[in-house]
Amino acid sequence: MKKTEEIIKKLSSEHNATDSELLHLINYDGNCDLLFDEANKTRQSVYGKDVYIRGLIEISNHCKNNCLYCGIRASNKNAVRYRLTKEQILDCCRAGYELGFRTFVMQGGEDGYYTDEVLCDIVFAIKKEYPDCAVTLSMGERSCESYQRLYDAGADRYLLRHETADNSHYKSLHPECMSLEERKNCLFALKKTGYQVGSGFMVGSPGQTSKTLLADLRFLQELKPDMIGIGPFIPHCDTEFAKEKAGGLEQTLKLIAILRLLFPYALIPATTALGTIAPDGRERAFRAGANVVMPNLSPENVRELYSLYNNKAHSGAEAAESLGILKEQAKNAGFEVVVARGDVKR
């Protein structure tokens, strides 16, 4: 226990640790109250008690890729496909703005319908109508030229989780046509373009080890992202990993806390996946260092169709129209949901 405390204190003060020290924390299965307390102090030293909200608009569940863990993978014949029009997306933004959202996150599979022309037109329209809002995109791997065009149209942020920084592990989760090298190239291209960049990984994905998690932490230190999103792996019934065990709540919370201490400035969400596996997952994530939430602004009739994993939560605190529930959860955890763009503080 003393060794663990010493490592936590070092991580809290230096925002770094040796490989062996990080592996010790990753593998530690004892009481993590000190780790959570230090992470909470660190996030409050930078962001106070503010929790930033982002309005999530899941614009399409069409995807050209066949990632082995994902419910909207191209080969899933049971998926009922949809995509939102420009007007539907703008309607979501109008509803969200009235509720107090000042960041809109457009997320979707790698859907060829959303060409640069189509997506730039949507981004430009949102920024024109809501110049005080940030636009975040999460639309997968695109060319450097595409990222530049979208940035020029007004996109402020881009989310692209690397999922795992271990090459062999990456290959075990993705089809042969995808590569970790290309994913990393995209992330660095996004940074070079000028975006606030978000990355992250699944916790408990099939084949993950403490060493692959260490590789994730070290890659993030190399990337220095503005946002870091992690959540537990949850299997989907229509994938090859249907019978795999889901990632654990405690391990995910521990890694959120470690990330907060490694990256005091980062915007770290309490993800929908956490709220899916545990009713109090979101509040516990706040106490472990998370400071962002992304309630769903998508039309209600498509929320269930954006099925990345089984039983994905899309009502209650996960729904934008139930923002009061989320505010109460944050308040109960000692934090406050605020109306703001919520830009990163470097």
Side-chain angles (χ1 to χ4, degrees):
M1 183 65 182
K2 184 178 180 181
K3 178 181 178 181
T4 304
E5 291 178 358
E6 290 174 351
I7 294 172
I8 292 170
K9 289 295 186 181
K10 175 185 176 180
L11 188 58
S12 180
S13 62
E14 299 181 14
H15 309 302
N16 203 357
T18 66
D19 286 357
S20 62
E21 289 168 340
L22 287 174
L23 285 169
H24 176 86
L25 289 183
I26 289 168
N27 292 319
Y28 180 67
D29 61 0
N31 187 303
C32 288
D33 285 350
L34 177 62
L35 177 64
F36 296 151
D37 287 346
E38 290 298 322
N40 191 7
K41 289 177 187 175
T42 298
R43 61 92 73 187
Q44 290 200 47
S45 71
V46 181
Y47 290 100
K49 296 185 177 182
D50 291 350
V51 170
Y52 300 128
I53 53 172
R54 287 43 167 126
L56 178 63
I57 308 171
E58 294 162 333
I59 69 174
S60 172
N61 70 347
H62 290 260
C63 190
K64 69 178 185 181
N65 294 328
N66 236 341
C67 302
L68 276 67
Y69 51 83
C70 184
I72 65 170
R73 63 201 304 251
S75 64
N76 183 6
K77 304 303 181 184
N78 294 324
V80 179
R81 305 291 179 175
Y82 77 91
R83 59 172 62 97
L84 301 185
T85 65
K86 174 184 175 181
E87 280 309 313
Q88 286 177 304
I89 293 169
L90 288 172
D91 284 344
C92 294
C93 293
R94 292 181 190 111
Y97 194 85
E98 289 298 314
L99 289 169
F101 291 89
R102 296 298 179 265
T103 289
F104 303 117
V105 180
M106 287 191 285
Q107 182 181 68
E110 292 194 19
D111 182 356
Y113 170 82
Y114 293 98
T115 62
D116 291 348
E117 289 76 17
V118 170
L119 208 49
C120 285
D121 180 52
I122 296 170
V123 171
F124 184 81
I126 295 172
K127 294 293 283 193
K128 183 178 180 181
E129 192 165 345
Y130 306 105
D132 57 331
C133 293
V135 171
T136 302
L137 299 177
S138 182
M139 302 293 292
E141 296 178 0
R142 302 174 77 97
S143 68
C144 295
E145 293 76 18
S146 175
Y147 291 146
Q148 186 66 59
R149 290 186 67 181
L150 293 167
Y151 184 77
D152 292 342
D156 302 278
R157 307 172 185 147
Y158 204 103
L159 308 179
L160 182 64
R161 297 207 312 189
H162 67 274
E163 301 300 3
T164 173
D166 179 272
N167 192 51
S168 61
H169 188 213
Y170 190 94
K171 288 180 178 179
S172 75
L173 300 176
H174 299 89
E176 289 185 10
C177 60
M178 298 179 69
S179 73
L180 177 59
E181 181 182 10
E182 179 60 24
R183 182 59 56 100
K184 288 182 176 182
N185 287 341
C186 286
L187 283 162
F188 286 110
L190 286 162
K191 286 206 71 173
K192 186 177 180 180
T193 303
Y195 288 93
Q196 291 181 39
V197 175
S199 192
F201 54 89
M202 292 180 289
V203 179
S205 60
Q208 187 177 72
T209 66
S210 57
K211 289 187 176 180
T212 61
L213 284 169
L214 176 63
D216 288 321
L217 300 180
R218 293 308 190 200
F219 170 67
L220 289 170
Q221 286 184 306
E222 179 187 359
L223 180 66
K224 298 180 176 62
D226 303 286
M227 300 157 282
I228 304 173
I230 70 168
F233 161 77
I234 303 176
H236 189 283
C237 59
D238 293 321
T239 69
E240 295 182 31
F241 294 149
K243 296 183 179 180
E244 294 287 343
K245 181 181 177 182
L249 174 65
E250 298 300 330
Q251 182 74 341
T252 305
L253 293 173
K254 183 172 61 176
L255 284 159
I256 286 174
I258 292 171
L259 287 166
R260 173 56 66 199
L261 294 178
L262 285 171
F263 305 93
Y265 64 84
L267 296 161
I268 300 177
T271 60
T272 299
L274 270 175
T276 297
I277 66 170
D280 63 344
R282 179 155 279 162
E283 293 107 310
R284 293 183 66 185
F286 293 149
R287 297 191 186 101
N291 64 330
V292 172
V293 284
M294 297 197 295
N296 204 321
L297 274 174
S298 308
E300 290 187 51
N301 65 321
V302 304
R303 291 180 191 175
E304 196 169 349
L305 302 180
Y306 198 81
S307 178
L308 304 180
Y309 46 81
N310 284 351
N311 305 312
K312 178 171 168 279
H314 54 82
S315 60
E318 306 301 330
E321 61 272 11
S322 301
L323 196 54
I325 298 174
L326 179 57
K327 289 180 178 178
E328 190 64 26
Q329 287 182 349
K331 184 178 179 181
N332 290 341
F335 303 100
E336 181 183 3
V337 171
V338 296
V339 175
R341 276 176 47 118
D343 289 299
V344 68
K345 295 182 179 180
R346 286 283 193 173

